[in-house]
Each structure stands twice: as structure tokens, then as C-alpha cells.
């Protein structure tokens, strides 16, 4: 019998008052926090005041860590499904029972498909060394992150031009004179450090050009707003580059020394004049010319932001790519007020954390999703989630029998959950590891409750940036229910599978000591403030020694990797057909107080969440007989259709409608969120397997919905 004792960090639960330095987990930004604990109970959470970029600030979601913790509406023990998938019939199980059940199924899957028939997806970020080492120890190459639903196009675009992913591209906003944002809604879809930095920079006189078919709060803060036609930013950028070259205002010295492919670029934009782009984007040629003059005057302290989620269509990769090219043309790379590439500990004379994945043999099997091979521009370190799902569906190139969704809710985060359920139903084993009842937990075979971020410790995180360093998420209180930290869960499964080595640690401190070996940093040092920085000042490379991680060592306008694969560095622009009549592009975004689909059941956040409305332009609403506040019916061509209130406003482009994401949950045990609002992902009918063929991201903003006034009986046709 294997021990299943909850692995509490020493001192947790003891009487008295303590401050624990840690990392927030109410969204993916993981802001540094300090947690005040009184007699084993969380009394207060605030930003880590020892970090000047955060100070005491938290956002509404971070502050609601307290009500989230003391809410009982979450899985409290492991649960094993007893009825049909998704039917909501469960039995509570002990950890031993649940883990034995999983191990038995894994043995069956390995017998049929081999170790490679096991896949895991997670939410990516700072702690993926753990999930990767778990998957690798089981003999599978199929660790996949969520990124095809998020920043995958921007990520792979950055790799193709600078040789580093999107995490490697930082922005020195403090010294920026002009920031250009393509739907990067920095004030509403935010993290605290960046939003504070942006507001401070605006107060210091930074200009901001904000480009979005919808006027967001960020648009209100900007000095220029362009209501671009949906899915057309690539044409806009080709027009801007054309004009930059024509006016001769690019940094010739920088381009000559540090970039390749200028002739290729010239050729690609020779006909994309400001007038040409105007017919596609609706942005006037004269405005564009004025903008280029302004930008040139502010160079090199300008940033063309390559986006985070970015508009999600089949040429999004090229939107991010051209934004990054514009930075190079402005000479705003590795310069104050421009893009500053992330530095590793080695870059500043230190050592990186030791990796858990190095404790088990590398897997030689090919990835099931073709990332890096069939899809040459896609990063194999992230994978292509939709292609992994396609393999579950078709068993090609080989079958996947078991799938772990860890800190990931693909039935909310991926388009067309109905299609995804049909695919997931083919699995022999679906395990969801979560802290609450997500849509995916409800469809799983086994739910494993992870202890919340306040109740557990994580593996240490290495943060590469201008000042690289290490960060710690430490345990503040004992778990309130029968939950466990992920490192423990994975270790216990591996032990049952007879592959102990990868995660064979008795305590988290033992694991941390392994990670810190040779770095010169200690656990005690990390506990003092929650983080250790390895550089005193931000490190910017000197101009003459600049070197990029591309094959040529330079910024590649053409991209050698793409060229070898027969993929153009800049493809001809392909407009997406404009919907008419009752049809609109469906755009979506976030509310400040909600993180995707995970916040609406949190007390307090539920109270302050806005009512969802469907933004529509008056010129399109009027002919349909729709007025502000009237009830409409919306459908995406599938079985799902919904009703909501129209918000008729010129703040949205006439070709599109907009709604907030994260509503319309269906799990009955999450009583506050269940049935509240409309699930935009369920309107994205047929989009599960539609994606940017180069960047890999799902083409969500090409979704077309039909909008009509609600009929008197409210019945859908
Ligand atoms: N239609 C539509 N689709 C979208 C989006 C959209 O706006 N519209 N947004 C896209 C974007 S940008 C993203 S990033 C994805 C996000 O979607 P996902 O990738 O699924 O990410 P989240 O919803 O942030 O979190 C996933 C799960 O992690 C759980 N979780 C939170 N904290 C913990 C923890 O400490 N431990 C464990 N084990 N689990 C935890 C949450 O409860 C949640 O169920 O969705 C994408 N999909
Ligand atoms: N409050 C809050 N903050 C968050 C999150 C959260 O859930 N809640 N999630 C975090 C995550 S994971 C992410 S990825 C980021 C996402 O951050 P962003 O990518 O900045 O934000 P989104 O909310 O997805 O907003 C997308 C915007 O793109 C616009 N858009 C749509 N089509 C086009 C187009 O063709 N061109 C242009 N230029 N714009 C277009 C939409 O109108 C919308 O305003 O936010 C992060 N911050
Ligand atoms: S942005 Fe808010 S929710 Fe996200 S980590 Fe920071 S404080 Fe927490
Ligand atoms: Mo995201």
C-alpha cells in the first residue's frame, strides 16, 4: 500500500500570524502576492509589496482568492464517473482508489497503443517542467499546451523571425514613446504589472495607437483609435510597411547589420499601397501616411505589439509577423523603449534551474500532432492541441487512448465543444485535474481535485526576462478538503506505473533542492520575498554584439526555416468574405473581473460580473428591426442557439457582433455559474479543426453567426 498522506509544507496550519510570499493563480499572469495567515486561515491577500512593479495592487480576481478559497462549491474528494460521460453521475473515491483506477486504465492503454497513446494538455506557463516530465516518464512525446486557443500564432511568428517564442519578447514600456496595439486590450484583458506599466507610460506622454473593430476601454485611453475591418490587420500592416519603405524612414543601419531578407520584404509589399489597404481595412490612406510620419519621429522608442490572443483567423500568423518586422524596421529591438528580448540566467552569468525532464529518458516516438514536422512552423514544445484531438478521433497517425486535462478546460477554451465531446468520448480514459467544476471535469472519467494555490506549493519557476530570476508559489494554509498538489498526484501515478525516478521526491522541499542545485540560490532565500532576481538592472545587449537565435543569427524577414518548408515568409493577403444581412463575424473578449470560464462561480466576482450583451452597429441592427436593449436570437449554424440583449452601438464595426467570453456554463454543482449567459464557444460551430495553417491557432474570429430579433414565442427555427 502506497502512502497517500497530504504532503503539507512544514509549519502550515500552526497557530499565530504569518506572511507567506507566493504567486496568485486566479488567472494565468501569476502576480507575486503576499498572503497573511492567522491561525491557519487566510486573512488577507495583497500584491507583494517588495516587488515595485506590483506593489500592493491586485485585480478583482486576485482579491477574490479569499472568497474562492472559502467556497465549498468545488470538488472535495476524487470522483469516479458511474453513469454515461457527461451525465453527472459520480461516486466519491479515496485517493488510493482513484489513482489505482487510473493506473489500471493506463496499463490497458499502453498495452494497446504503447506509451505514446497517453497525452496531457495543460495551461502552459511557468510550471510545465512538471507536466512534461510526467508525460515523458510514461514514454509519450504528447505533452500539448492550450496555446492553439490563445497566443500560438504570435508565438510561432516570433520564433520565425527572432528565433524565440512569444514569452521571449518583452516590452520596455517605461521608455516607449509610441505603442501600437492590435486588439491587445491591455486595460481589460490584463495583468496587473503590464496594466500599471501602460498607465504610467501614458501619463509620461506615451502615444498609443489602438486597432480593434471594437472600441474597448484601451481604445478610450489611446491617442488614436482605428476601427479596422475584422480579420484585415495583415493588409493594414502590409500597407504600413509599404509606406515606411517608400518614405525611407526605416533604420537602414539596423536593417543592414541585423536583418536578412530586405529585398524579399520590398518585393512582398511593392503593391500594398495605403490606398490598396484602405479598400480592405477601411483605414484611410491619408491617416496611415500621417501615422507613419509620427512613428518615424518616435523611432526607435516604438513598439508594435505582436498580440497575445490576437485576432484569430487563418492569416493571424502574418499579422504578428509583420508587427514584429515593423519593430525591426524601426530599429526598436534591444533598445530602451522598444522590444527587449528575455534573458536566461546563463545570459547574466548564472545557472538555470535543473530540469525535472532530465530525470527520465527522452522519448524518440514522433509527436502525434505533427508540430514541427507536418506543421513545420509549429513549436513542438507546445504541440497542436486540435491535431492531438484529431488523432483521438481518427487514430491517425496513431491512436491516443488516455488523456489528462490538467489545469485546462478545453470544453470551454476550444471552439465547438459539441464536436470535441464526440471526440473525447472515444477515449478509454479521460482524467481532469482541477480546483473547481469545469466543463471538462464534468465530462471526465475521473476528477482529481488539486489543492488550491493557497493550499499547496508548486515546483519553482524560472522567469526569463530583462532581469531573470526564480519565483516560488508556497503553501499558505492546509487543504480544506481531500485534495492534493499536482506534483504529488503525478508522482503517485508514476509510482503505480513503476517509473518512479522522474518525480521521486518525498517533500516539495526535496524537489526544490534538486531544482536549485548549482544555482547558488537557496529555498530559504526564496522564502524571504518569494523571488530571487539574478540581475541588478535590466540587461540589454549592446548593438554591435546583437545575436538572434535564428539559423542566420539575424532577424529573418524571410525565415530560413519557413523557406525550406516551402512556406512563404509573407504570403499574399487573403481577405475573409464579409458576412451580410443577418450574418456577422462573432468577436469575443474578456471582462476585467473574469478569467475565461473559471470565475463566474466565484462569490463576489459573480456579483460584479456584467450582464452579457451582444454589441451590434446601428447601421446593421436597424434594418433587422433590432434596437438597443431588445432581445435577439443568435446561432452559429449548429444545434446551439441562444437569446440575449442587443447593445446597439457605433463602437463595434458593422461587419461584426461582440460578446464576452466565459459565460454559459452547464455544471449543475457550480450553482452560481450554471446556465448563466451565453457560451460563445458553442456558437463557434465547425471551428474545432479550422486553424491558421502556418501559426496553428484556431480560426475563431472567422466564425459567422446569424442574429435575428427574438420571435414572439422565443422559438428558434
Ligand atoms: N470562444 C472563446 N474561446 C476561447 C477564448 C475566448 O475568448 N473565446 N479565449 C482563449 C484563451 S486566450 C485562452 S488562454 C483559453 C483559456 O482556456 P483554458 O486554457 O482552459 O484556461 P483557463 O480557463 O484559464 O483555465 C483552465 C482550467 O484550469 C483550472 N484551474 C485554475 N487554477 C487551477 C489550479 O491551481 N490547479 C488546477 N489543477 N486547475 C486550475 C480552472 O478552474 C479551469 O477549469 O481559452 C481560449 N478560448
Ligand atoms: N480580465 C482578464 N484578463 C485576462 C484574461 C482573462 O480571462 N480575464 N486572460 C488572459 C489571457 S489568457 C489572454 S490570451 C489575454 C488576451 O488578451 P487580448 O488578446 O488583449 O484580449 P481579448 O480579450 O481576447 O480581446 C481581443 C480583442 O481583439 C479584438 N479583435 C477581434 N478581431 C479583431 C481583428 O480582426 N483585428 C483586431 N485588431 N482586433 C480584433 C476584439 O474586438 C477584442 O477587443 O488576456 C489575459 N488577461
Ligand atoms: S492579474 Fe489578477 S488574477 Fe491574474 S495573477 Fe494578477 S492579481 Fe491574480
Ligand atoms: Mo490566453
Amino acid at each position: 500500500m502506497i502512502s497517500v498522506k497530504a504532503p503539507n509544507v512544514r509549519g502550515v496550519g500552526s497557530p499565530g500570524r504569518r506572511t507567506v510570499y507566493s504567486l496568485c493563480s486566479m488567472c494565468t499572469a501569476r502576480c507575486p502576492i503576499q498572503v497573511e495567515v492567522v491561525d491557519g486561515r487566510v486573512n488577507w491577500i495583497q500584491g507583494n509589496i517588495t516587488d515595485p512593479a506590483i506593489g500592493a495592487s491586485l485585480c478583482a480576481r486576485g482579491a477574490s482568492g479569499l472568497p474562492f478559497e472559502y467556497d465549498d462549491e468545488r470538488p472535495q474528494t476524487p470522483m469516479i464517473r458511474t453513469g454515461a460521460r457527461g451525465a453527472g453521475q459520480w461516486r466519491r473515491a479515496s485517493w488510493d482508489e482513484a489513482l489505482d483506477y487510473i493506473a489500471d486504465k493506463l496499463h490497458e492503454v499502453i498495452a494497446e497503443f504503447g506509451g505514446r497513446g497517453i497525452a496531457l494538455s495543460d495551461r502552459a506557463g511557468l510550471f510545465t517542467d512538471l507536466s512534461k516530465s510526467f508525460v515523458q516518464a510514461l514514454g509519450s512525446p504528447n505533452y500539448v499546451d492550450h496555446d492553439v486557443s490563445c497566443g500560438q500564432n504570435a508565438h510561432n511568428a516570433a520564433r520565425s523571425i527572432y528565433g524565440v517564442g512569444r514569452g521571449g519578447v518583452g516590452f520596455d514600456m517605461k521608455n516607449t514613446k509610441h505603442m501600437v496595439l492590435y486588439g491587445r486590450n491591455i486595460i481589460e484583458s490584463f495583468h496587473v504589472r503590464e496594466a500599471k506599466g501602460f498607465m504610467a507610460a501614458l501619463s509620461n506622454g506615451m502615444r498609443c495607437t489602438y486597432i480593434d473593430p471594437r472600441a474597448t476601454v484601451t481604445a478610450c485611453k489611446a491617442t488614436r483609435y482605428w476601427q479596422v475591418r475584422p480579420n484585415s490587420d495583415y493588409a493594414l500592416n502590409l500597407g504600413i510597411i509599404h509606406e515606411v519603405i517608400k518614405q525611407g524612414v526605416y533604420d537602414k543601419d539596423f536593417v543592414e547589420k541585423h536583418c536578412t531578407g530586405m529585398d524579399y520584404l520590398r518585393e512582398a509589399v511593392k503593391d500594398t499601397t495605403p490606398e490598396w489597404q484602405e479598400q480592405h481595412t477601411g483605414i484611410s490612406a491619408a491617416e496611415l501616411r500621417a501615422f507613419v510620419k509620427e512613428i518615424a519621429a518616435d523611432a526607435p522608442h516604438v513598439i508594435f505589439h505582436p498580440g497575445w490572443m490576437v485576432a484569430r483567423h487563418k492569416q493571424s500568423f502574418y499579422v504578428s509577423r509583420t508587427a514584429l518586422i515593423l519593430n525591426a524596421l524601426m530599429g526598436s529591438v534591444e533598445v530602451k523603449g522598444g522590444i527587449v528580448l528575455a534573458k536566461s540566467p546563463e545570459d547574466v552569468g548564472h545557472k538555470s534551474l535543473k530540469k525535472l525532464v532530465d530525470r527520465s529518458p527522452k522519448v524518440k516516438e514522433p509527436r502525434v500532432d505533427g508540430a514541427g514536422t507536418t506543421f513545420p512552423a509549429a513549436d513542438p514544445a507546445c504541440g497542436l492541441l486540435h491535431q492531438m484531438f484529431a488523432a483521438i478521433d481518427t487514430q491517425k497517425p496513431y491512436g491516443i487512448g488516455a488523456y489528462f486535462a490538467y489545469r485546462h478546460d478545453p470544453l470551454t477554451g476550444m471552439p465547438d465543444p459539441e464536436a470535441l465531446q464526440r471526440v473525447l468520448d472515444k477515449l478509454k480514459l479521460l482524467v481532469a485535474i482541477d480546483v473547481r467544476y469545469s466543463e471538462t471535469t464534468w465530462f471526465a472519467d475521473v476528477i482529481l481535485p488539486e489543492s488550491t494555490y493557497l493550499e499547496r506549493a508548486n515546483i519553482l519557476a524560472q522567469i526569463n526576462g530583462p532581469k531573470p530570476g526564480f519565483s516560488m508559489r508556497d503553501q499558505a494554509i492546509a487543504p480544506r478538503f481531500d485534495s492534493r498538489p499536482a506534483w504529488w498526484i503525478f508522482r503517485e501515478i508514476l509510482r503505480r506505473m513503476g517509473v518512479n525516478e522522474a518525480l521521486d521526491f518525498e517533500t516539495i522541499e526535496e524537489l526544490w533542492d534538486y531544482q536549485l542545485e548549482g544555482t547558488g540560490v537557496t529555498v530559504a532565500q526564496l522564502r524571504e520575498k518569494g523571488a530571487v532576481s539574478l540581475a541588478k538592472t535590466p540587461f540589454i545587449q549592446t548593438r554591435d554584439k546583437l545575436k538572434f537565435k535564428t539559423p542566420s543569427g539575424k532577424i529573418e524577414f524571410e525565415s530560413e526555416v519557413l523557406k525550406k518548408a516551402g512556406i512563404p515568409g509573407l504570403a499574399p493577403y487573403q481577405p475573409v468574405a464579409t458576412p451580410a444581412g443577418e450574418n456577422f463575424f462573432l468577436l469575443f473578449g474578456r471582462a476585467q473581473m473574469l478569467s475565461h470560464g473559471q470565475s463566474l462561480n466565484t462569490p463576489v466576482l459573480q456579483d460584479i460580473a456584467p450582464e452579457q450583451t451582444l454589441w451590434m452597429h446601428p447601421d446593421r441592427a436597424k434594418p433587422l428591426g433590432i434596437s438597443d436593449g431588445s432581445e435577439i436570437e443568435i446561432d452559429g449554424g449548429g444545434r446551439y442557439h441562444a437569446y440575449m440583449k442587443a447593445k446597439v452601438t457605433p463602437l463595434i464595426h458593422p461587419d461584426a457582433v461582440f460578446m464576452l467570453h466565459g459565460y454559459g456554463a452547464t455544471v449543475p454543482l457550480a450553482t452560481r455559474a450554471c446556465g448563466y449567459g451565453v457560451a460563445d464557444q458553442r456558437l463557434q460551430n465547425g471551428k474545432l479543426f479550422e486553424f491558421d495553417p502556418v501559426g496553428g491557432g484556431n480560426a475563431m474570429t472567422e466564425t459567422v453567426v446569424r442574429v435575428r430579433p427574438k420571435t414572439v414565442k422565443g422559438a428558434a427555427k
Side-chain angles (χ1 to χ4, degrees), residues 124-147:
L126 303 176
F127 306 113
T128 52
D129 188 25
L130 178 70
S131 4
K132 285 177 177 162
S133 72
F134 171 69
V135 177
Q136 183 173 297
L138 290 169
S140 172
N142 294 317
Y143 161 82
V144 193
D145 74 21
H146 77 302
D147 215 29

Side-chain angles (χ1 to χ4, degrees), residues 3 30 163 216 252 260 332 364 380 405 426 453 470 511 544 677 705:
S3 154
R30 301 180 185 88
T216 60
K252 294 173 193 80
T260 64
S332 64
K364 296 207 174 72
K426 295 189 174 179
Y453 71 106
F470 307 137
L511 193 159
D544 49 331
V705 288

Side-chain angles (χ1 to χ4, degrees), residues 596-706:
H596 307 285
Q598 55 172 292
S599 307
L600 263 181
N601 207 54
T602 304
V604 182
L605 292 181
Q606 216 272 346
D607 296 338
I608 60 173
E611 186 191 351
Q612 252 178 331
T613 53
L614 191 74
W615 295 36
M616 295 180 82
H617 195 277
D619 292 352
R620 295 290 303 283
K622 207 167 166 214
L624 298 176
I626 295 170
S627 53
D628 192 34
S630 70
E631 290 279 329
I632 57 92
E633 179 192 339
I634 180 166
D635 80 80
R639 281 199 297 173
Y640 181 74
H641 63 93
Y643 305 103
M644 58 200 300
K645 272 198 189 119
K647 167 174 163 154
V648 177
T649 164
L651 299 181
I652 176 91
H653 192 280
D655 291 353
V657 288
F658 170 88
M659 69 167 74
L660 289 172
H661 172 61
Y663 291 68
T666 65
V667 181
L669 292 187
T671 58
R672 299 172 211 104
C674 185
Y676 182 57
V678 177
D680 60 329
Q681 71 274 12
R682 296 180 73 185
L683 293 164
Q684 295 171 334
N685 188 47
K687 293 284 180 253
L688 180 58
F689 297 121
E690 273 193 33
F691 56 97
D692 180 326
V694 186
N698 282 79
M700 295 188 196
T701 56
E702 290 190 16
T703 301
V704 173
V705 288
R706 186 172 58 173

Side-chain angles (χ1 to χ4, degrees), residues 24-31 58-59 61-62 190-192 595:
C24 180
S25 179
M26 297 301 285
C27 90
T28 195
R30 301 180 185 88
C31 296
L58 282 185
C59 77
R61 299 163 296 158
F190 68 101
H191 53 87
V192 173
S595 295

